[in-house]
Amino acid sequence: MRIKRLHFLLLFGIVFLLWNFITYYTIVTKPKGADKERELTERLMSLEREMGKQLAENKKLLESLKLLKDIKDKKVYRSGEYLGTKDGVLPILMIACDRVTVNRALDQLLKYRPSAAKFPIIVSQDCGHAPTAEVIQKYVVSHNITHLKQPDLREIVLGTPQKKFLGYYKIARHYKWALNQIFVTFNYSAVIIVEDDLDISPDFFEYFSATYPILQQDPLLWCVSAWNDNGKDGMVSEEADLLYRTDFFPGLGWMIEKKIWMELSTKWPETFWDDWMRHPEQRKGRECIRPEICRTSTFGKKGVSKGLYFDKHLKFIKLNSEFVPFTKMDLSYLSKAKYDEMFIKKVYSSPLLTGQQVKSGEQPQDKVVRVEYNGKDSFKKLAKLLGIMDDFKAGVPRAAYRGVVSFMLNGRRVFLAPPPGWTGYDTTWS
């Protein structure tokens, strides 16, 4: 049925083009009186301009229909060349709304993208904001990106306590629709999700290319993220190739597989989707990969959080500036068994100092040190002292792995860690 519908649409497009041509020819050949020659000439010029616009729109329609057919056939074509099945394709899904500065994010994706075939760009726009749509459409024409528009723009009716969170409800609704487009309509196997206010590093695509096979093979991983919540300048090392496992879902430039979405989509929340993903019922003990130095940073001060979080934290995040050839590196150390053995040994063999000793720079000869916390209040007090994020989501500190948060302070590695023998997170910590 869908193929028949596609054929019908193609036929419709051809008929529409012929109709435009006949209309144009009829007007051009119509006899003209001398007194109306100038007026008719002006009308013809105006019609010619409109016809040009219409022809461009029809061309885009035909290209979109062809792309849909290629997607349906699980094939990708560019310039008539068959480039293989979609299994090797990692689409970029950009979530957009009403930021006309979406061009900045798109320009960077296009600048660093190594292959249009492997990394097709799909922009899903909510809000129905015409100026933003116009910006995106320019890239549809010039770079053959796909522009989707979230169709359900109805207002969400909320009670008085929830009204202030309306924006978060709309975001959750948009994410669900957009991810269904990626995994159900387009039938992709995985996706890299970004938002319209993110800068990316030169090795953004290289990072996800290298970690995708690990995500596929490890059942204890459920995402790869470009983000380090404690990635402020001065709190990360210069080891741009350093990657971690983390129990915390970071977001802000992240990759998941279709099987995870099919699991989550059946119970997707009405609001605060990212915090919901951090609940044990969704995470199920699974982990993500994250970098030492962020591969994304945000320039979007405007948003549902009103810019408060941006001014206090986000604008200080360091974005990686060098290209790391991850696909040529041995990343087997990220496998669960190897990583846990290495990580636990490194953390608990490091010298134990107090938070104040670390803050004051005592024992500078020790380049890797540990600070121990004992409970929720102890963690929050030490985190504030040492300058890292002090909040929890379902009991998990930001960027933590096995309760340990790793960061740099005064030029040395610090592990803020629970006592040896950690047994799990306390979900009552918040």
Side-chain angles (χ1 to χ4, degrees):
M1 288 297 292
R2 291 186 180 179
I3 296 300
K4 288 182 179 179
R5 184 183 175 194
L6 179 61
H7 288 163
F8 172 77
L9 290 172
L10 284 170
L11 180 60
F12 174 81
I14 293 168
V15 170
F16 192 68
L17 283 170
L18 287 172
W19 179 83
N20 279 318
F21 176 78
I22 292 168
T23 302
Y24 179 78
Y25 181 81
T26 301
I27 294 173
V28 168
T29 57
K30 184 177 179 180
K32 303 182 286 291
D35 57 337
K36 293 196 174 183
E37 184 174 349
R38 180 177 298 177
E39 180 183 353
L40 184 55
T41 301
E42 291 175 354
R43 288 183 180 180
L44 285 172
M45 291 176 65
S46 176
L47 179 59
E48 187 175 3
R49 287 193 295 269
E50 291 301 318
M51 287 292 297
K53 291 180 182 178
Q54 189 61 58
L55 286 169
E57 290 296 321
N58 290 343
K59 181 180 179 182
K60 287 189 291 184
L61 172 64
L62 290 171
E63 288 176 349
S64 296
L65 290 171
K66 183 180 182 301
L67 178 61
L68 285 173
K69 184 178 184 301
D70 293 342
I71 288 170
K72 186 65 180 175
D73 293 342
K74 289 193 173 183
K75 298 177 181 179
V76 179
Y77 290 85
R78 288 295 183 272
S79 302
E81 179 187 2
Y82 174 59
L83 297 170
T85 67
K86 289 197 326 173
D87 294 339
V89 176
L90 278 175
I92 308 297
L93 171 64
M94 178 178 287
I95 301 293
C97 180
D98 59 356
R99 290 188 178 103
V100 293
T101 51
V102 64
N103 66 300
R104 172 170 167 176
L106 284 170
D107 284 344
Q108 291 198 34
L109 286 172
L110 292 167
K111 176 181 178 181
Y112 294 123
R113 182 173 67 167
S115 166
K118 182 174 181 179
F119 300 103
I121 297 172
I122 302 167
V123 181
S124 179
Q125 186 191 0
D126 200 4
C127 309
H129 190 244
T132 300
E134 289 177 10
V135 174
I136 297 168
Q137 279 299 316
K138 292 178 182 177
Y139 290 86
V140 174
V141 175
S142 62
H143 291 88
N144 200 27
I145 73 165
T146 301
H147 183 191
L148 307 178
K149 295 181 181 180
Q150 200 281 108
D152 186 2
L153 301 180
R154 293 172 297 175
E155 275 302 308
I156 299 172
V157 180
L158 299 172
T160 302
Q162 290 83 29
K163 279 185 178 179
K164 61 182 178 181
F165 300 123
L166 177 61
Y168 295 100
Y169 280 81
K170 290 182 177 180
I171 289 171
R173 179 175 68 181
H174 185 194
Y175 262 87
K176 183 176 183 178
W177 182 85
L179 286 167
N180 271 329
Q181 295 302 302
I182 293 294
F183 290 123
V184 180
T185 303
F186 292 167
N187 196 29
Y188 282 112
S189 301
V191 68
I192 301 168
I193 303 155
V194 297
E195 296 185 5
D196 58 353
D197 62 345
L198 291 182
D199 289 328
I200 65 169
S201 66
D203 59 355
F204 174 88
F205 292 96
E206 175 78 359
Y207 170 67
F208 283 109
S209 293
T211 52
Y212 179 43
I214 303 173
L215 179 65
Q216 288 179 297
Q217 296 161 14
D218 191 337
L220 293 177
L221 287 174
W222 72 323
C223 91
V224 176
S225 173
W227 188 256
N228 173 6
D229 277 283
N230 291 307
K232 294 181 182 179
D233 198 5
M235 302 200 73
V236 291
S237 73
E238 297 301 317
E239 300 168 281
D241 61 341
L242 184 57
L243 306 180
Y244 296 84
R245 295 180 77 107
T246 178
D247 297 313
F248 192 85
F249 170 72
L252 285 170
W254 51 290
M255 175 171 60
I256 58 167
E257 294 184 277
K258 180 177 182 177
K259 63 184 179 183
I260 296 296
W261 175 245
M262 301 314 291
E263 172 192 324
L264 297 176
S265 64
T266 59
K267 52 181 180 175
W268 192 252
E270 292 184 331
T271 189
F272 299 116
W273 67 268
D274 48 350
D275 285 345
W276 173 84
M277 284 189 65
R278 293 160 181 151
H279 293 175
E281 293 81 2
Q282 280 66 252
R283 191 169 71 84
K284 297 180 179 178
R286 293 173 292 198
E287 302 148 9
C288 295
I289 293 174
R290 71 161 179 91
E292 168 77 4
I293 307 175
C294 290
R295 264 56 189 187
T296 59
S297 66
T298 178
F299 57 85
K301 182 174 181 178
K302 172 191 170 186
V304 291
S305 64
K306 309 302 182 186
L308 183 63
Y309 194 51
F310 181 88
D311 285 333
K312 287 188 173 181
H313 179 68
L314 294 176
K315 70 179 182 180
F316 300 108
I317 293 293
K318 179 178 180 179
L319 178 65
N320 181 56
S321 59
E322 64 177 275
F323 184 91
V324 177
F326 284 113
T327 58
K328 295 180 174 60
M329 297 172 61
D330 181 5
L331 301 180
S332 62
Y333 70 90
L334 289 169
S335 66
K336 178 74 172 174
K338 285 184 179 181
Y339 189 86
D340 281 8
E341 181 181 3
M342 171 196 70
F343 185 78
I344 293 168
K345 181 178 180 181
K346 187 171 184 178
V347 171
Y348 290 101
S349 65
S350 58
L352 181 61
L353 301 181
T354 67
Q356 192 57 56
Q357 285 177 315
V358 172
K359 181 75 173 178
S360 302
E362 295 184 28
Q363 297 182 211
Q365 71 278 8
D366 294 320
K367 299 303 180 185
V368 180
V369 298
R370 173 169 51 104
V371 176
E372 193 170 280
Y373 66 89
N374 294 278
K376 169 187 169 183
D377 293 339
S378 172
F379 178 91
K380 291 182 78 72
K381 181 179 179 181
L382 287 165
K384 288 180 180 178
L385 174 68
L386 300 172
I388 64 170
M389 302 291 285
D390 69 338
D391 60 330
F392 306 91
K393 300 294 182 181
V396 183
R398 291 181 183 269
Y401 186 66
R402 298 182 60 87
V404 180
V405 179
S406 173
F407 58 98
M408 299 294 291
L409 188 63
N410 297 327
R412 64 179 170 184
R413 175 68 58 188
V414 180
F415 295 116
L416 182 55
W422 178 84
T423 56
Y425 297 102
D426 185 340
T427 55
T428 65
W429 292 13
S430 60

